[in-house]
Amino acid sequence: EVLTQNNYATVSPVPVLKRNFDKNEIKKSLGLEKYKTVIGLFPFGGVNPGTKMRIKRWDVSNYLRLAEMLSEKTETGIVLFEGREEDEKYPAGINLKSNYRVRTIDFNLIPACGVFISADTGPLHIAAALGVPTVGLFGPSDPLLVAPPDGDGRNVFIRQELPCSPCYTPSSAVDRKNREYWNGDNFICRLGTGECMKSITVDEVFKETVKILNNTQ
């Protein structure tokens, strides 16, 4: 069963960040001004000072397939955001269509997006605080604790109902001596499968994204 934000009630206040530039100005700077909608994808993250949680990531190939499906909408531009770590780059030789842009993550560019899609990592929460609708992909962490507030349906999360998920809980997060979950500063999948993220399908994310686009345009 796929769980989405609509299954839950959230009471957290929505944080707000100021946008430094107008949405249309940003789209123009990206060369995407002719597209009605811009969608941002960030497959990376899960790296913080003293803690690495790459198991939060949804595979890059899924994002690229999602980009293909979304770009079939003729008025949709795609921004493929990269990170600054060595393993936060897209593979060489990917097929970049005319409506694709690859950019290092820059919070000044995020407001150009009509939807921002990422796993549970900093840019997802910053996008929500900037007022950009988000689709958050959750597995190890608990969306009931850390997902961006719903914001009247503008922010949704997707996770699979698996017995082992979520595993990154307040108790497991602080006990770094527990080798079931920690290998140095890396939080690991104790089953070694990463099934909670692998079981999220491209079709599910596509449907949630289109639903937001239809409700916000």
Side-chain angles (χ1 to χ4, degrees):
E1 179 186 3
V2 179
L3 301 183
T4 68
Q5 184 87 322
N6 295 330
N7 296 105
Y8 301 97
T10 57
V11 294
S12 301
V14 179
V16 176
L17 290 175
K18 180 182 177 182
R19 298 184 180 205
N20 292 326
F21 302 99
D22 176 75
K23 181 175 183 177
N24 291 325
E25 290 178 330
I26 305 170
K27 287 171 66 176
K28 186 175 181 179
S29 74
L30 292 168
L32 297 173
E33 66 271 22
K34 71 177 183 179
Y35 296 100
K36 181 178 180 181
T37 301
V38 171
I39 297 175
L41 307 177
F42 183 65
F44 308 108
V47 179
N48 301 306
T51 301
K52 297 180 178 67
M53 286 191 65
R54 291 180 175 87
I55 62 170
K56 286 183 176 182
R57 296 180 184 179
W58 198 47
D59 196 81
V60 172
S61 64
N62 292 326
Y63 285 93
L64 294 176
R65 174 58 186 146
L66 178 65
E68 289 181 3
M69 294 173 67
L70 291 168
S71 67
E72 291 174 0
K73 290 177 167 291
T74 57
E75 296 186 67
T76 300
I78 305 291
V79 181
L80 302 170
F81 286 107
E82 295 185 323
R84 293 178 173 81
E85 301 289 327
E86 291 184 4
D87 67 343
E88 294 186 321
K89 308 297 180 186
Y90 289 93
I94 63 171
N95 180 26
L96 293 179
K97 300 182 180 181
S98 61
N99 60 329
Y100 285 25
R101 301 291 182 271
V102 177
R103 292 290 186 274
T104 300
I105 192 71
D106 180 342
F107 302 139
N108 287 318
L109 298 179
I110 290 177
C113 301
V115 181
F116 187 89
I117 305 167
S118 174
D120 174 30
T121 192
L124 176 76
H125 302 278
I126 290 172
L130 287 166
V132 175
T134 63
V135 178
L137 311 180
F138 284 78
S141 51
D142 189 347
L144 293 179
L145 295 177
V146 295
D150 179 86
D152 295 326
R154 294 172 62 85
N155 302 310
V156 303
F157 66 74
I158 298 174
R159 67 174 287 261
Q160 296 285 358
E161 183 72 3
L162 300 180
C164 58
S165 173
C167 60
Y168 187 71
T169 62
S171 59
S172 65
V174 300
D175 186 8
R176 298 200 175 204
K177 294 181 180 179
N178 186 340
R179 297 307 175 197
E180 186 177 21
Y181 294 106
W182 288 96
N183 180 12
D185 60 359
N186 289 281
F187 190 87
I188 60 177
C189 173
R190 64 186 177 87
L191 301 180
T193 64
E195 186 64 23
C196 59
M197 296 303 293
K198 291 178 181 178
S199 58
I200 296 174
T201 71
V202 175
D203 284 342
E204 291 160 358
V205 182
F206 176 77
K207 289 176 183 177
E208 287 298 323
T209 304
V210 170
K211 189 184 300 182
I212 290 178
L213 291 175
N214 290 337
N215 290 337
T216 57
Q217 293 181 1

